[in-house]
Amino acid sequence: MHKSSLALLLILSILITSLISCSSTKTDIIGEWQDDAYEKGNIKKVLVLGIVNKEKPLLRRSFEDGMASAFQDGGITATPSMDHMPYEVAIDSTTFEKYFKELEIDAVVISRLVAVDANRDYKAGYLYTIPYNSYYGFYGYYNAGIAYANSAGYLSQEVVVVLETNIYETTNKKLIWSGVSETVEPDKASDVINSFGSELVSRLKTEGYFK
């Protein structure tokens, strides 16, 4: 076989392997809201909190660890809430503030599942407004979100995973960023976590939230 043929076969082999190994999972942030009065660039350390059904602690652990890793890759110190907050105990506002102070957290990143949808009802580019309950601070949003997570059902066909994410600064306990993301064609939970984490951190860095 000629050297040119061998080289062609080698190139084809590399391309095929690359295509097989690459996941088709893709995340887009399809809507967002920002507090225009917030002075960006002061976030150095975040607490990551995944609002997950209480019967699925391993999923929450995987989500928070994966998100923390994504922030750390972006140069931001991140702490999974499960490292400090007992999973089986209800968290009140006093408990939240205790962790903020002890860990010297600048912002809390809270994500919850909105839908696992085969019909893809969410459309990119729509106007995203501040979500209900967010006006009442991170504890109000967390409390409402955890109640939903522990009562909502899930579709079995995983085609599009929709997450809502809120970011609260801890000095004044105000919402500074909120968005809805859509992750398409994940094969497993880690696909969603990795794709979403990378996209969220990239978006926040581009928008100037981190130094």
Side-chain angles (χ1 to χ4, degrees):
M1 184 176 293
H2 296 295
K3 290 184 178 180
S4 58
S5 298
L6 287 172
L8 179 60
L9 285 174
L10 180 60
I11 293 171
L12 289 173
S13 177
I14 293 172
L15 288 174
I16 292 171
T17 301
S18 176
L19 289 172
I20 291 173
S21 62
C22 289
S23 171
S24 59
T25 302
K26 184 178 185 299
T27 295
D28 288 314
I29 294 175
I30 60 174
E32 67 174 311
W33 173 92
Q34 300 184 50
D35 179 2
D36 294 333
Y38 174 72
E39 184 178 347
K40 297 178 181 178
N42 296 314
I43 298 176
K44 298 179 181 178
K45 190 173 184 179
V46 301
L47 182 74
V48 177
L49 173 59
I51 298 180
V52 178
N53 186 293
K54 63 183 179 181
E55 303 299 327
K56 300 181 179 180
L58 291 180
L59 178 57
R60 179 179 164 190
R61 167 55 71 184
S62 295
F63 179 83
E64 293 184 359
D65 285 350
M67 290 298 295
S69 178
F71 276 100
Q72 289 162 359
D73 288 345
I76 301 300
T77 301
T79 302
S81 72
M82 283 191 78
D83 286 354
H84 304 278
M85 297 179 180
Y87 185 77
E88 69 281 0
V89 177
I91 303 171
D92 58 23
S93 57
T94 303
T95 307
F96 262 122
E97 293 184 25
K98 171 178 177 288
Y99 288 121
F100 295 162
K101 292 177 181 178
E102 289 182 354
L103 298 172
E104 299 180 340
I105 297 297
D106 300 313
V108 184
V109 181
I110 306 180
S111 296
R112 72 178 182 93
L113 179 68
V114 174
V116 180
D117 197 350
N119 297 319
R120 198 172 184 179
D121 291 332
Y122 290 81
K123 304 298 182 183
Y126 76 97
L127 179 63
Y128 183 59
T129 57
I130 182 172
Y132 178 73
N133 278 313
S134 298
Y135 291 105
Y136 305 105
F138 49 78
Y139 177 63
Y141 181 78
Y142 164 80
N143 199 38
I146 199 68
Y148 175 87
N150 288 329
S151 63
Y154 299 91
L155 300 178
S156 60
Q157 186 177 3
E158 296 185 356
V159 176
V160 179
V161 176
V162 182
L163 299 177
E164 181 176 72
T165 300
N166 281 359
I167 301 177
Y168 297 88
E169 56 84 26
T170 57
T171 301
N172 299 309
K173 307 177 185 65
K174 290 178 57 180
L175 178 71
I176 59 173
W177 188 93
S178 183
V180 169
S181 64
E182 181 182 79
T183 301
V184 181
E185 295 184 7
D187 292 325
K188 51 190 179 296
S190 60
D191 291 342
V192 178
I193 297 166
N194 294 335
S195 179
F196 168 65
S198 176
E199 179 63 22
L200 177 64
V201 172
S202 176
R203 173 68 66 93
L204 294 174
K205 289 190 71 173
T206 299
E207 292 177 348
Y209 282 90
F210 310 140
K211 286 185 175 179

